Every structure is written in structure tokens, then in C-alpha cells.
Amino acid sequence: MALYGAAATVLSGLEAHQGSLKTLVYGSRFQNVRQLYALVCETQRYSAVLDAVIRSAKLLEAEKKLKPHLAKVLVYELLLGRGLRGGGRWKPVLSRHKARLQAEFARLKVKRCVSRNEDLLESSPGTAQVIQLPRFVRVNTLKTCLDDTIDYFKREGYSYQGCASGLDELRALEGKRFFLDPLLPELLVFPSGTDLHKHPLYQAGHLILQDKASCLPAMLLAPPPGSHVIDACAAPGNKTSHLAALLKNQGKIFAFDLDAGRLAAMATLLTRAGVSCCEIANEDFLSISPSNPRYSRVQYILLDPSCSGSGMVSRQLEEPGAVSPSQERLHALAGFQRRALRHALSFPALQRLVYSTCSVCQEENEDVVQDILQQKLGPFRLVDALPLWPQRGLSTFPGAEHCIRASPEATLTGGFFVAVLERVDEKSSGPELQLLAEEPRPSVAPKKRKRRQKKH
Ligand SMILES: C[S@@+](CC[C@H](N)C(=O)[O-])C[C@H]1O[C@@H](n2cnc3c(N)ncnc32)[C@H](O)[C@@H]1O
């Protein structure tokens, strides 16, 4: 109970402007500051969602002695956190209301047309304004084209501003105006807070509401039509539908995910998006045999594994990045990420692989990539991904700047990481292989570095 009580006190202090989040957390007498910080931040982040669920479940009317801030913390833990651990006398009370709360939560998701918990954040009235990230909209070229979409919005009274010249224009975007993104084709940018969940083009699958950073993996994998692709951890499928659009539905996507519920949501999403080249399987990617003839033509793999989601911490929090997952959790996640990456690189025909996370933690990003390169699992090099992208990988090993990072501050997106690995053509392998070197190799005679030809 101590943790939940402390979190409720901090939340109430924040609301009453009694101090900053940091002051209130440190001022509490709860010893595990990190745990308290994380719980408060997460509860804050979902505040509007929790309010809506508590209201519709009529929890406070039924439990008159339950204070609103404590209710919010308890419901967060119950629905979105680790489940109620402790909770004192409130635990049996919350258990009585659990089914109702879960039903209201599910109903809210259906109402807002989202399948993932995180998507509720973007669809929450008020949240987007606080975060002030633009609303990115990917035009689904399986169902429509950019010009028709732009015309549709113009007919609805939106004013099309052409291709944005840079992030400043996007930052200043407001009213009924929209841009074409300067870096990603077929990505439209609307002002922060634009809610298109009920828009007919979204309902018909012509538009995919997807953060710009999350459009990078498929774009950088760039499988040509006709190719065979594995989407290793695919649900709920936004990136899969993007891959299908790039393939023009020609070729094959083998999409795997462990979570049957998320796969069900994915099936709906793919049907709505008009995807017909995808085979969905409720399987552990690690158990998929690279030597199975079914996958003998797989040249492209997208690996977007489970991660801490630390990049999804919104800017409404006072100190972005301050909420960090525990070392134990990071260690476990990074272990899985390494295994999955190693497994992916063992597919015999693989030519290019994109590894991505919505985490900002080095342990899940640069460290995983560096470790895999050090293991020299094959002739793979790190591709200098989208050189015009402003934020690069942390300089933790030579070549890390070839990776992409994204953040609300630098790129007006969620926090994200992308690395692109490519099989080195034996004939042109010499200088490129230097990127694989984990340590400087002073004994190697200086060679003239070839400029990489391939740009994405
Ligand atoms: C970050 S999400 C993927 C998001 C997805 N790529 C998208 O764009 O919509 C990670 C997914 O990996 C799945 N997952 C975790 N371990 C897995 C495994 N061993 N094999 C397949 N999928 C796994 C989780 O169920 C989760 O749906």
C-alpha cells in the first residue's frame, strides 16, 4: 500500500501545484524513489484514459471512501501496470470492480478505434495538445494515392501547404492546414490534436494513423514488389501494412507474433488496409527454422521486438527520459532482443534487416547492435540510414551514428531507434567491413574509404 499511497499523494500534490514531480517524489517518504517516479509518471501519462474508465465504471460513486488519486493509481496498476501487488484493504475492493473496469477499458478502445494501449494516449482528447506532436498520417497506397487524399482533405476545407521545408514549419502548424512531410513520402502532417479516428478515409483504411518514427523501419527496409519478407514481431501490424504497401501486395510477408489477442487486432487492421500478401502466424519467431524451405526466399526481415517502450514517455512529463525501466527489465529485454536479432541474421537468403524499438535506452539499442556486430555472425554491415535524418545513434561504438534515433525534441516524434543491417557484397566488402570492427584496428594500413552508394 505504501507505494500506491505515496503515488496518490504525489499526484494530488502535482495537481495542487505544491511542487515539481521531482520535489514531490523525493519529498515523499517512500524509499524506492525510482519505482515511485515510474508509477506516478505512467499514471500521469494515462490520466485522461484512467479518468474516463473510472467515470464510466462509476467506481467512485460505488466506493465513496476511495479518493480519486488513489483510485487512479490502483486502476492504472490493475489495467495497465503489473496488476495490484499489495493494495491493503483496497485490493479486495478493486477486485470486485475488476471485470467492470476491464470492460469499460475495452469499450473505450473500441470507441476510439485503437487496439494498443499506447494508441489510447494519442486518441485522448487533451493529451495530444500537451505533447504537441503533430498528427502524422500515412497514406495507404494499397487503397488510394497521395493526390486523391490531398484533394479529399482540401474539399473538406483543409488548406494544403505543400512539402514542409523543415521541422520548424511542422512545429508551428495549426488550424486546418496540413503539409507533406519533407523526409517521408506519402506521409501527411496535421496539427497536433487533429483527431482523424472517425474520419471516413481512416475508417475505410485509406489512412494509417502512425507516428513518423514508426514509419521509418518499413521505409528503410524497402522490400521491392515480389520479394519475401519476415515481420518477426508484427502485431498490431502498422509496420506490416506499410510493408505490404511497399510490396504493392506482390510477394509475401510472413508475420509472426506470440500474442494471439494482438494478432486478432492485426487481422482486422490488415483487412481494413487491403493487405492480401501477408500470412499471419501465432508463433514464436525464435522457433521459426531458417532452414525451412518456406523461408528460403526471405531477403528482408523487419525486427521490431518487444521493448521497454521508454520512448513513448510523453513530453507532458517534466523530465523526459527520467522514467527508466529497471536494470533487471532492461537486461531481460535486451537478452530477447539479442536472441531475436541473432536468429534473424541466420536466415540464409537475408539481404537486409531493420532492427527498431520505441525505446530510448542504450541497452536496447546501440548496445544490442554493437554486440551483434561484434559477434561477426556473417558479412553484415551497418547501413548509413537516411543520412538527412537529424538525430543519430549515440556514439557508443564506431559507426553507431549510422543508426537513427528519434525524439519529441529533435524530430517531433516519439522516442525511437532504428538500425539497418545489410549483407555485404563479397566483391565490395573491403572498406565497408570496417564498420563491423568493434575496436580501432591501428595495425590495418589506412585504406581509402569508399563512399557508400546505397542511400535510403
Ligand atoms: C513492439 S511490438 C511490435 C509492433 C509492430 N511491429 C507494429 O508496428 O505494429 C512487439 C511485439 O512482439 C511480440 N513478441 C514478443 N516476443 C515475441 C516472439 N518471441 N516471437 C514473436 N513475437 C513476439 C509481442 O507480442 C508484441 O506484439
Side-chain angles (χ1 to χ4, degrees), residues 313-362:
V313 176
S314 73
R315 291 201 305 178
Q316 64 199 351
L317 303 176
E318 294 175 14
E319 295 164 66
V323 187
S324 46
S326 70
Q327 278 309 315
E328 292 75 21
R329 175 139 196 266
L330 278 182
H331 186 73
L333 285 165
F336 167 66
Q337 291 153 355
R338 280 185 175 83
R339 281 197 299 284
L341 188 46
R342 208 177 300 128
H343 188 62
L345 290 176
S346 69
F347 279 75
L350 181 70
Q351 285 299 320
R352 194 182 307 148
L353 174 145
V354 168
Y355 172 78
S356 60
T357 73
C358 56
S359 162
V360 292
C361 302
Q362 183 188 321

Side-chain angles (χ1 to χ4, degrees), residues 116 210 214 231-240 256-259 262 283-286 302 304-307 336 358:
R116 299 189 311 170
Q210 190 174 359
S214 122
D231 191 347
C233 297
N238 274 336
K239 296 182 191 76
T240 321
F256 303 106
D257 205 284
L258 271 183
D259 187 321
R262 285 165 71 95
E283 285 188 67
D284 180 349
F285 170 61
L286 297 177
L302 195 154
D304 185 41
S306 294
C307 69
F336 167 66
C358 56

Side-chain angles (χ1 to χ4, degrees), residues 232-289:
C233 297
N238 274 336
K239 296 182 191 76
T240 321
S241 81
H242 194 180
L243 287 170
L246 295 168
L247 290 175
K248 300 189 163 81
N249 261 339
Q250 295 159 27
K252 174 121 10 209
I253 302 173
F254 301 99
F256 303 106
D257 205 284
L258 271 183
D259 187 321
R262 285 165 71 95
L263 279 179
M266 173 166 170
T268 310
L269 185 150
L270 295 189
T271 305
R272 192 169 57 188
V275 174
S276 60
C277 63
C278 182
E279 275 183 24
I280 294 178
N282 185 194
E283 285 188 67
D284 180 349
F285 170 61
L286 297 177
S287 71
I288 302 302
S289 169

